[in-house]
Every structure is written in C-alpha cells, then in structure tokens.
C-alpha cells in the first residue's frame, strides 16, 4: 500500500448499512414532500426542481457525489455512490442534473485551465449555473463529426455562426458547452473545438421544438455572429472531439440509471396490482405480469452490468463496447417498462393526455397514470438521444468483430 | 421515384379523399368546424352509408372505406369513422320517424351526430357508463366523445335499472356545459360528459332492450372496422414517408437508406402493412356481405393484432427518423400518434384480449 497517496476511507472501514440509514434519514428530513410528489408522479421536471434539491444537497456537502473532494465532491466510493442513487430513486428525490455534474464538470476537471476550474466548477456544485449540450446540428446527428457551426478567431474572441438542434434544457440554461468547427483541414474530427458559450450573449436565439410527448425539453439554438472570449475554449483548438469522447464515455455510465429503472418497475407493479384489485386478474393483467417479471430480471442484470462497468472504468479497463452495451440495454429496457405502463394506461389516457382546463388543485399533474403516458412518448427518444441504438450496435459490433 | 403503396379501394373516392385531405394542414382546434371538415360535410360524406330513400348516397362500405383510408394518410383529426360510419349505422337501426329525419339532416351535413357507444358484453369494450333511472333521468359519465369537430347531437348507450339496454339521442347543447374537454395524444379533441340527472323525454330513447343492444354492437363493429381501415391508410403513408426520408437524409456521407439495418426495419414494417391491409380488406368484404351483424370474433382478433402492428410501426417510424421522429411537425410521427390513438377506440388491445380469452375459455368448457 502506498502510504503517501491520499487514501479514501477504507472499504472495510465503511459501515454501508449505517451510511444507507444516514441517507434515508437525510432525505426524509430534508427533501420537501412537494418535490418528492412531483418526482413520484413522473411529472416533467426542470431547473426549478433539480436546483431546489441540489441546493439542499449542497448545504450537506452532497451535491456532487461522484466528484473528488478537491472540487467540492463527496469522495465516496463506488458502493456509496450507488447507495446514494438507490436511496434517491426509492424515495423519489429529483435526479442530479446531468449536464453539469455528470457531463461538463468532469471534462473541465480533466481539460480545463486552473482559471476555468475556479470559474465554472463551484457553480456546478452549488447549482447556481445551469448547462446544456450543443452538439447536434440539423445535418450532424449520428454523424456528429460533420458538424458545421463555425467559429472564426478574431483577436481574443471567437465569432460563431451556425445552428444547434435538440438542445435539451437550453431554454433554462445559462451556458451551452458547444462543439464548433475551427478548421476544415484534415480529418473532420480534427477541426472541432469545444467552447463554453454563455446563452445571454447577443446573437443567440432559442426556439422550442414541439415534440410528441407534449413536454418542452428540446430546442433549436441559432447562433448569429456570437462573440465568445477565447478564454472559454476548453483544451486546445482541435481538441473538441477528444473532449466529446471523454464526455460520452462517462455519459453512458451514470450510476443513477439503474436505480431509476428499478423504481419505475415498482411503480408499474403497483399499477398492475391496483388493476388486479379493481378488475380481477384478467388475461391482460396476467400478460402484464409476465412482462414485468422479465423486466425485473433484466434490470437485475443491468445493475450488475453497470456496477462492473464503473469498476472497470475506474481500473482503466473498460471497453467502449461494454459502455455502449449498457446504454443500449438500459435504454431499451426503459422503453419496455414504459411500454408496459403504456398498455395499462393508454385505454384511459390516450384520449385524455392534456386537459384543456387543468384542475386548479394540480390533480391532473399529480395523476401518475397520465404522466406515464407522457413518459412512454418521451422515452421513445431514449434510443435516439446520446447516440441511437443503431449507432451503439455499430460500435459494439466493431469491437466484437475487430473492425 | 420512391415506392408507393396500393390502396385497399383505389378509385375516385380514394383519390378525392387523398386530394382533399392533403390540401388541408391540420388546423388548430377551435369551436368551429375546420375547413377540411366543412368541405367533407358539403361533399355529403356523412351520407355515404345513408340509404338514398333517407336522403343519402346509399353507397357501399367499400366507398366509405376508400374515403377513410385516403384521409387517414394526411394526419387530419376529422372524426370521419364516427360521424360517417358509426352514427349512421346506429341511427339506421333505430328506424323511427325522428331517426330517419335526423339521418336526412346528417346526410345533408346540417346535423352531425357524435356517437359514444358500447358493445356491452356482446363485444370487446368497457361497459357503458350511462344509467337511465326510473324517472327517466340520466346519470353517469360518457367517456371520450370525439368532439374534434362540432356535433349537433350525442348518440349513446345507456342501461336502465333492470340492466336493459337503451339507445339515447340528445341535442348536444343540453350537455355542452357538462363536458370536460381534453386533447388526446394524437391531437384529437375529446370530452368526458357528466350526465347529472338530465331529464329525458320519451323521444330521446330511440331503442330499448335487445334492438338497442344490437344497434350499438353493429355500430361499434363499424367503428372498429373503419378504425382499422384508417390505420391501413396511415401506415401506408408512414412507410412511404419513411422511405422518402431515408433516401433523402445523409449521414456519414451516405443516404441513410444505404444502411442495411434501416432497410430491413422498413421491410419488416412493410410486411406488417401488407398483412394488415389483406386482413382488413377481408373484414370489410365480410361486413359488406353480411352487414354489421354482431361483433365477430375475427374482428376482435384483428384489432388485437392491429394494436400490436400500430405499436411496432409507430415506434419503428420514430426510431428511423432519429430526433425528427419525436417532433410534432413531422407527419410520419403524427400519424404514429394517430394509429396509437385509433387502436385504443372501439376495442383496445386489452379489451380484445380479455373478450377473446373469455370466449375461448367458455368454448373449451362447453
Ligand atoms: C429528446 C432528445 C434530447 C436530445 N438532447 C440533446 C442535447 O441535449 N444535445 C445535443 O447535442 N443533442 C441532443 N439530442 C440529439 C441526439 O443526440 C441525436 O438525435 C442523435 O444523435 C441522432 O441524430 P439524428 O436525430 O440526426 O438522427 P440521424 O442520425 O439522422 O438518424 C436517423 C436514423 O438513422 C440511423 N442511422 C444513422 N446512422 C446510421 C448508421 N451508420 N448505421 C445504421 N443506422 C444509422 C439512426 O440510428 C436513426 O435510426 C437529443 C435528441 C433527442 C431526441
């Protein structure tokens, strides 16, 4: 053992059961019931809800469970991080906002200058600054490297022109970490640079995209002669692709995903039980139970797959085929679960998705069955966003077949 | 040129329907009739199935199917099957003077009858919720009336205290205030209507007992069948649109249609489409020959099957369009929402499975 290296708390020295109890007690005492109700009933959550919980966690020093202590994180080990996510999911706390804590934060830690770390990281940890991801463009989706949004160097600034699309949360974000083209020479990937673009700059216009789930999640972002200081460039010019890959590899390994799936499965099971109590065990409900059992087993497998992938990632042995396999499996399983919920709620809610005059007491919003229909529709994007299933399969196949 | 499907019933009716529907972008919902619907009323489409003697066109079920299929391609939210199929079938069964007069107005487009019918235990469907009390007053809830276009009347199933069926007709303005309105996942406008002690005159009850039940079942049969026809039209358009999209959009320097996995997925949807079209054509012919007599087991099985096809095709089309598949602007995605909506009406997959299973278990025990 290396006595010099700063040691995290020893694995066998941690009483995980006590740690879990501490988490539960904290959530029960501090996560506002109204917030938990919003999450429980599967409502669409936005900055307000994410940030409210993050502020509370921040006061306790827990707002960045996966970050090292030096940057304001908890320094927890894998088991503790997983327990945190498990308790948060079981007790219906809002998830941690991934774009800051999960995505750009680690990239800034890895590629950022000391000034950038000091400027950006604390506000990610305390939740005062909100991020979104400006990667995709109308012509560059699966083939991200063909992106065209151009950044031209002009003195100490870059001048940016182009358009981003599918930008989740842009309407409520402060900064967009953005892939731009700084060169058309050589390989397409080599001319890409990562810029941190404040969204209140002149020349930026954000327009909502109307999606089939009827939730406002994604946007178009138009950039028209937008001036961004060169100090907002992360890494060197041309390093953008490297940063993006670094980020994507982590995006696929969020410890939060499996506990949220398991919570959804519990909710679907409760729904089936309530139907059985109301209508008796009809053939449809028998069939739903079979699908539930299969999904439960599959989620158990996903849990082990995730934990081993995180372990491998920490040891530096993780193959990209495994993180892609996890993304593929997790997103398809989440569609199976939301599809099962759909079959139970659609007969009633397909014709009642949006009440034209919502109940004044919020009863329509709290109606979990209605929200499960929104969720089913929204989850069609699970196998599209963050790299489509087809693209994941290409990645996995390349690794399996050696080319 | 890209691939084009062959309609179930090619001809003038189909062509007119396609042309008319494609001329109208889906309109934002208002209390007034949409321009597309007004034109359909003027063309007398509500009277296609109405006998000539009653002022209608007296055309065949295939003619109406051609209209429903053609308009089904365009993503409009007009309640064609309900107003031109279901309501006329039920009214024709009533055969009273008032019903015949109303049929004439329906055919002329001056009245429009919104049906909220239940097949009761004679077909897949949840039991009708309206109750007729001894004093002639109505209670309960009429669920999910399709009011995407204005209606002058509501036609619905009710049961009296003895469990006897009744077919009830009410002017819409008598219940308008009791309607809670919703937009469905497919953009159609629905309402739940609370019947809170509304007093009925004898003229409002068109039929009682077995004839009322039979009329409701026949009308639900028409609704289920025409819903399947609309799905066939919509899926045909979705496949054509998807092929066009994959041929046009490029990623990695190649048209998406050059990726075999995407081609195969479209092929799988196409095979489902051909199979569904064959099945639905057969059922339309059958109904044409025998009338809407009862709710056939084959139709319930077809709806169960079509429900799964709708899921597969809607989900496939979204996935194949990538992010664009999630957008409301994309016709293929909107059609996906509509076929999901269609598969929930007049026998959703769960009702069909339960009804079919109950029938099978009874047959096995006999
Ligand atoms: C809800 C949602 C949120 C999103 N959030 C963000 C965000 O915050 N920031 C951001 O930058 N982007 C975001 N995206 C965009 C997302 O990353 C892209 O949609 C995705 O990469 C797919 O690109 P595309 O939509 O252009 O589809 P396309 O790339 O056009 O794909 C269309 C179809 O072709 C298939 N295909 C493409 N290439 C191949 C191939 N080589 N082999 C086989 N099949 C192929 C795809 O799998 C898909 O089925 C979001 C998307 C959605 C739907």
């Amino acid at each position: 053992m290396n006595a010099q290296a700063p040691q995290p708390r020893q694995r066998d020295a941690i009483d995980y059961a006590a740690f879990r109890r501490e988490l539960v007690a904290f959530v029960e005492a501090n996560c506002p019931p109204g917030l938990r109700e919003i999450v429980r009933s599967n409502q669409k959550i936005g900055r307000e809800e994410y940030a409210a919980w993050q502020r509370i966690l921040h006061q306790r020093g827990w707002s960045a469970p996966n970050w090292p202590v030096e940057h304001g994180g908890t320094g927890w080990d894998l088991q503790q991080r997983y327990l945190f996510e498990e308790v948060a999911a079981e007790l219906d706390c809002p998830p941690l906002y991934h774009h800051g804590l999960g995505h750009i934060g680690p990239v800034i830690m890895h590629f950022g200058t000391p000034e950038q770390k000091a400027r950006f990281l604390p506000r990610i940890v305390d939740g005062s600054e909100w991020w979104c991801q400006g990667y995709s463009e109308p012509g560059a989706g699966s083939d991200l490297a063909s992106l065209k949004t151009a950044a031209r160097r002009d003195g100490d600034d870059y001048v940016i022109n182009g358009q981003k699309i599918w930008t989740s949360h842009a309407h409520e974000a402060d900064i967009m970490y953005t892939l731009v083209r700084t060169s058309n020479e050589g390989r397409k990937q080599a001319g890409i640079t990562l810029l941190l673009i404040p969204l209140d700059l002149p020349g930026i216009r954000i327009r909502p995209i109307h999606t089939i789930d009827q939730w406002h999640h994604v946007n178009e972002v138009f950039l028209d002669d937008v001036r961004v200081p060169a100090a907002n460039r992360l890494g060197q010019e041309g390093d953008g692709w490297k940063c993006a890959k670094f980020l994507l590899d982590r995006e696929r390994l969020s410890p939060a995903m499996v506990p949220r799936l398991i919570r959804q499965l519990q909710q679907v099971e409760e729904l089936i039980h309530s139907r059985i109590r109301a209508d008796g065990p009809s053939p449809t409900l028998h069939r739903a139970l079979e699908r539930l059992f299969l999904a439960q087993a599959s989620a158990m497998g996903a849990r082990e797959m995730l934990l081993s992938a995180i372990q491998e990632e920490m040891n530096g042995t993780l193959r990209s085929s495994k993180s892609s396999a996890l993304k593929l499996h997790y997103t398809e399983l989440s569609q199976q679960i939301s599809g099962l919920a759909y079959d139970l709620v659609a007969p009633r809610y397909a014709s009642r998705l949006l009440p034209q005059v919502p109940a004044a007491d919020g009863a329509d919003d709290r109606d979990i069955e209605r929200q499960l229909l929104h969720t089913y529709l929204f989850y069609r994007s699970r196998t599209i966003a963050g790299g489509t299933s087809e693209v994941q399969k290409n990645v996995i196949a390349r690794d399996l077949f050696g080319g | 040129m890209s691939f084009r499907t062959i309609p179930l019933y090619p001809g003038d009716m189909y062509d007119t329907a396609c042309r008319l529907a494609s001329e109208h972008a889906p309109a934002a919902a208002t209390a007034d009739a949409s321009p597309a619907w007004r034109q359909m009323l003027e063309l007398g489409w509500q009277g296609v199935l109405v006998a000539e003697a009653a002022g209608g066109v007296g055309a065949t079920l295939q003619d109406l199917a051609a209209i429903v299929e053609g308009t089904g391609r365009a993503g409009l939210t007009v309640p064609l099957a309900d107003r031109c199929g279901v309501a006329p079938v039920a009214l024709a069964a009533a055969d009273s003077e008032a019903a015949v007069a109303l049929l004439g107005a329906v055919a002329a487009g001056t009245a429009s009858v919104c049906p909220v019918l239940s097949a009761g235990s004679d077909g897949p469907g949840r039991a009708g919720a309206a109750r007729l009390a001894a004093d002639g007053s109505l209670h309960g809830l009429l669920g999910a009336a399709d009011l995407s276009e204005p209606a002058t009347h509501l036609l619905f199933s009710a049961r009296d205290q003895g469990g006897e069926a009744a077919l009830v007709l009410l002017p819409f303005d008598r219940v308008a205030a009791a309607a809670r309105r919703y937009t469905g996942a497919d953009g159609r406008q629905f309402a739940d209507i609370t019947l809170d002690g509304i007093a009925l005159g004898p003229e409002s009850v068109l039929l009682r007992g077995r004839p009322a039940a039979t009329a409701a079942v026949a009308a639900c049969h028409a609704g289920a069948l025409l819903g399947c026809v609309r799905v066939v039209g919509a899926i045909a358009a979705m496949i054509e649109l998807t092929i066009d999209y994959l041929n046009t959009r490029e990623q990695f320097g190649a048209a998406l249609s050059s990726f075999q996995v995407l081609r195969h997925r479209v092929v799988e949807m196409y095979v489902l489409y051909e199979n569904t079209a064959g099945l639905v054509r057969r059922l339309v012919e059958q109904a044409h020959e025998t009338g809407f007599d009862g709710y056939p087991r084959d139709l319930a099985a077809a709806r169960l099957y079509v429900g799964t096809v709708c899921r597969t095709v809607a989900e496939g089309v979204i996935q194949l369009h990538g992010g664009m598949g999630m957008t409301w602007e994309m016709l293929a995605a909107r059609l996906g929402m509509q076929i999901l909506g269609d598969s929930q009406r007049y026998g959703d997959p769960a009702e069909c499975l339960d009804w079919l299973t109950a029938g099978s278990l009874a047959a096995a025990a006999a």
Side-chain angles (χ1 to χ4, degrees), chain A residues 78 197 248 361:
Chain A
L78 176 62
I197 305 181
L248 267 182
D361 64 356

Side-chain angles (χ1 to χ4, degrees), chain B:
Chain B
M1 197 185 98
S2 293
F3 168 76
R4 291 291 174 260
T5 52
I6 298 169
L8 293 173
Y9 298 105
D12 287 349
M13 288 290 214
Y14 176 80
D15 293 342
T16 309
C18 288
R19 200 166 45 243
L20 192 161
S22 65
E23 281 165 6
H24 294 278
T30 65
D32 299 327
S34 68
W37 181 240
R38 277 206 301 273
Q39 216 176 330
M40 292 171 187
L41 292 178
E42 282 160 19
L43 286 169
W45 284 2
Q46 283 195 143
V48 168
L49 282 192
V50 175
E52 280 181 272
V57 180
T60 62
L61 182 60
Q62 286 86 334
D63 291 320
L64 183 57
I67 291 175
V68 169
E69 184 190 11
T71 48
R73 298 172 52 93
L76 300 182
T77 53
V78 289
L80 267 179
D82 269 14
R83 308 286 175 89
C84 308
V86 177
V89 165
L91 282 175
D95 205 26
S96 69
E97 218 170 282
V100 172
L102 184 57
L103 265 179
V106 162
T110 53
S112 193
V113 178
C114 170
V116 192
L117 297 167
S118 159
S121 55
D122 296 326
R126 295 164 207 285
R131 293 187 315 278
L132 198 53
D135 63 0
S137 63
L138 273 173
H139 302 266
L141 186 90
L142 294 176
D146 185 345
L147 292 171
S148 302
E149 300 293 345
T152 54
H153 295 78
L154 273 186
L155 180 66
F156 54 93
S157 321
R159 297 209 165 261
D160 66 18
Q161 303 116 302
E164 282 260 287
L167 187 66
V168 181
L169 180 74
L170 273 186
F172 184 71
D173 54 16
R174 288 204 52 198
V175 294
R180 178 151 200 232
R181 292 178 184 262
Y182 298 88
T183 302
D186 57 7
R188 282 188 267 188
Q189 307 296 304
F190 293 95
D192 286 344
I193 297 164
T194 312
L195 302 166
D196 213 359
I198 289 181
L200 278 189
E203 75 288 352
S204 294
V205 181
L206 298 185
L207 288 171
R208 280 186 185 273
R210 198 62 225 161
T214 306
V217 173
C220 287
H221 177 170
L225 191 48
L226 290 168
C228 290
V229 170
R230 198 172 103 123
V231 164
V232 170
I235 292 182
M238 291 165 79
I239 289 173
E240 292 170 13
L241 290 164
T242 303
I243 291 172
D244 286 345
Y245 189 78
L246 297 181
N247 276 334
T248 317
R249 179 158 174 86
E250 292 187 2
Q251 289 288 277
F252 304 101
L256 290 179
S257 58
S258 65
F259 299 122
Q260 193 176 45
V261 62
L262 307 183
R263 298 164 77 95
H264 283 190
R265 193 145 178 194
V266 174
V267 168
E268 282 160 14
M269 297 192 310
Y270 167 71
V271 174
L272 289 177
Y273 158 74
E274 286 290 357
N275 193 48
T276 304
L279 170 66
V280 171
R281 189 187 291 111
R282 178 72 230 123
L283 289 167
V284 171
E285 303 302 326
Q286 215 167 296
H288 173 70
E289 282 155 23
T290 60
F292 298 111
D293 205 10
Y295 195 105
R297 187 199 166 281
D298 288 352
L299 181 58
R303 287 203 56 87
L304 179 59
Y305 176 75
V306 169
T308 66
V309 170
C310 290
R311 277 288 286 282
T312 306
V313 173
E315 293 177 358
V317 163
I318 293 168
Q319 183 69 24
L320 287 165
H321 281 76
M324 288 309 290
M326 289 296 295
T327 64
W328 193 253
E329 269 153 76
M330 207 70 187
L331 176 56
R334 239 170 29 243
L335 287 169
M337 296 302 96
Q338 294 199 339
I339 60 175
L340 290 179
D342 280 324
S343 65
Q344 297 299 334
R345 308 197 72 225
Y346 297 107
D348 64 55
E351 291 166 335
C352 290
L353 176 63
D354 292 347
W355 188 71
L356 286 164
T357 307
S360 230
L361 293 178

Side-chain angles (χ1 to χ4, degrees), chain A residues 99 133-136 140-143 165-168 217-218 378 381 384-388 390-391 394, chain B residues 245 249 251-252 256 259 261-262 319-324 326:
Chain A
H99 279 296
Q133 177 186 67
Y135 281 15
S136 307
S142 297
D143 181 15
I165 193 170
W166 315 121
T167 324
S168 304
H217 185 82
V218 286
F378 180 64
S381 67
I384 297 170
T388 67
E390 289 77 10
V391 167
N394 286 343
Chain B
Y245 189 78
R249 179 158 174 86
Q251 289 288 277
F252 304 101
L256 290 179
F259 299 122
V261 62
L262 307 183
Q319 183 69 24
L320 287 165
H321 281 76
M324 288 309 290
M326 289 296 295

